[in-house]
Amino acid sequence: MNDVGDLTVEGDIGVLTLNSPPVNALSAPVREAIHEGIKQAIADDKVKAIVLICDGRTFIAGADITEFGKAPSGPSLFDAQDMIENAPKPVIAAIHGTALGGGLEVALTCHYRVAVPSAKCGLPEVNLGLLPGAGGTQRLPRIVGAQKALEMMTAGTHVGAKQCLEMGLVDELAEEGKLRDGAIAFAKKVLSENRPLVKIREQNDKVEADRGKPEIFENFRKANARKFRGFLAPEYNIQCIEAAVNLPFEEGIKVEQKLFRELVTGTQSAAQRHVFFAERQVWKLPDVPKDTPIIPVERVGIIGAGTMGGGIAMNFLNSGIPVTIVETKQEALDRGVATIRKNYENSAKKGRFSMDEVEKRMGLLTPTLKMEDLGTADLIIEAVFENMDVKKDVFGKLDKIAKDGAILATNTSALNIDEIATAVKRPEAVIGLHFFSPANVMKLLEVVRADKTSKSVIATSMQIAKKIGKVAALVGVCPGFVGNRLLAQRQREAQKLIMEGAMPWDVDRVLYDFGLPMGPFAMSDLAGLDIGWNKEKSKGETLRDRLCEMDRRGQKTGAGYYDYDEKRNATPSPVVEKMILDYAAEKGINRRQISDEEILERCIYPMVNEGAKILEEGKAIRASDIDIVWIYGYGFPRYRGGPMFYGDTVGLDKVLGKMKEFQSQMGDDFKPSALLEKLVAEGKGFKDL
Ligand code: 3H9
């Protein structure tokens, strides 16, 4: 056997231990160790029962995701599983940490399963755009029934050991920290009680009970249609469970294998696997060493109790970190605090937590009108009006108040943080923490490093982001940073397209069908068209000016680009259609038919190109960080992997070709980035950077 597996014999129990850090994923050596280890244990006459256990932090956490797409080597997972399931002696899986995906599928071929209470089991393949491809789709429903299998497999949930025991997924709980002993004791019990070699594949009661009830599946599909929109994997998982219910095991396996192959070779799964690794990469900062000193953040100060400031404060209160929040006027302060309380009370009413919890969180909040009260804060986040003079004034004052070593952060979404930093004598303490609205809900945090920001301030900001449950991407100072800089490209093209021939609902439909949560015009209506619009200064120059002047300021006024009924359902507006036609005529624009394909290419390719410029300028560390920003901040569909990955899947040569074509027709909005040109010339993609 290779050095991943270790077989020892204790009395009449063979213990096969796998050790392949970090998560014992089923790489070729692990599969081989299982295959060989079980074979040896079977051959050893002294061994009467076998325990399969893992070293390190977890039981097998699944197939080795890095192996997908590569040529298979070593014994297949099926070979290893057959060796277990057909063993003439009982095999018992001993589970700690997480038994996920292929890991749980291995455990399900064992005759029994023992777990410690902290262990979790799940089939999370759906999150990678896959389905359990090692018999899991046929075995799980045979234990838990179709309904539970549908829920577990399409959500990819990790189910706690106690619940697994109740569902019959686990046969016995072992004492925490004593898994090995517990599993050996259980194995002895199996022997002494002469228990059978249970093969889940032969257990048909649960699936037979669900047979002839297609409504189980139809209702489930209907109830989740919105959640599953655009994704292939949930539907494929459902079809496998249907097969488990309606077909014999071997036939069901054939369906599973066919659908698995389709998914694993498809673009959606490639995209979702890319996102899995991108989510982990984004925390890694090449020039900030792991041992960089972290500033302990025990108290946070927030300047501004408006929507943004209040939302930001909630993140820290939720994590048990006390917050001092400052406003200039009592009324604004009271309003801000009342909004936070109302948000918490609404959550409590929905059953998310108790009223005691509301009071606990509110108890961590200190409202004040005195900026001096921020003197004890370790991290101060400014969330005041977006105006450079105002911000510099605030930072100038902060410089005198904040204690030595405190982090001075700005939540600006647009202003130059290097310039803000000139207002203080300690520019190394200044950083951007760009939260997205609503700040207590949106997962993304852009951590914006300025020229002089210290590594310690960067490392602490990333760590605190993790603590409050955000996904943070480290970016550099540039207009719009990463997220809004890409957005600006799309917004510009969307506006141009409706002048040249499309209607807002055409553009929205194309982008919605692409997988975004909503199109640019629906988004403007939701946000309010009057953000940044000034009634006094409006000269009716732009379409937006005209809409706002007519009091079509978005959903809140019942009309914007769309008309809205009292339930805020949108319908295309004939008024807007006429306005657009009139406006285009006034400007002498010859409107033309615009294809859906052009809408998509004009909205998305310039974003890819802008992403390339950002990389060229070093304002993002990796292309995949840009993907993370757009997935977590703007709802870019995970199954497309983010804008940069999407560029790679389309082919950068195609993106470049279109950019050049558009440039020759419409000018330098489409000027290709040098990096894009270079990658195409070298036949490479962003993935090769
Ligand atoms: C499958 O099983 C298909 C089968 O049905 C069919 C087969 C035919 N492979 O997340 P962490 C790496 S699909 C390779 O930071 P945690 C990860 O990239 C699989 N690598 O730790 C990271 O590397 P690095 C179904 C993997 O403690 C390191 O391990 N299974 C894999 O926060 C630590 O990971 C899943 O989808 C893998 N399977 O969380 C489970 N898993 O240090 C996926 C992890 O270089 N994994 N790595 O950045 C997880 O959900 C979490 O990793 C886990 C631990 C909960 C296990």
Side-chain angles (χ1 to χ4, degrees), residues 22-23 57 61 63-65 102 105 124-125 128 132-133 276-277 280 284:
V23 297
R57 66 214 241 200
D64 184 341
I65 306 169
E105 292 176 291
E125 282 88 343
L128 300 168
F276 176 86
F277 289 112
R280 283 154 181 83
K284 295 176 185 161

Side-chain angles (χ1 to χ4, degrees), residues 22-23 25-26 57-58 61-66 68 77-78 98 100-103 105 123-125 128 130-134 158 260 276-277 280-281 284:
V23 297
L26 290 158
R57 66 214 241 200
T58 179
D64 184 341
I65 306 169
T66 59
F68 292 130
L77 189 48
F78 275 111
T98 43
L100 298 177
E105 292 176 291
L123 294 175
E125 282 88 343
L128 300 168
L130 293 173
L131 53 86
H158 300 183
F260 180 80
F276 176 86
F277 289 112
R280 283 154 181 83
Q281 283 288 314
K284 295 176 185 161

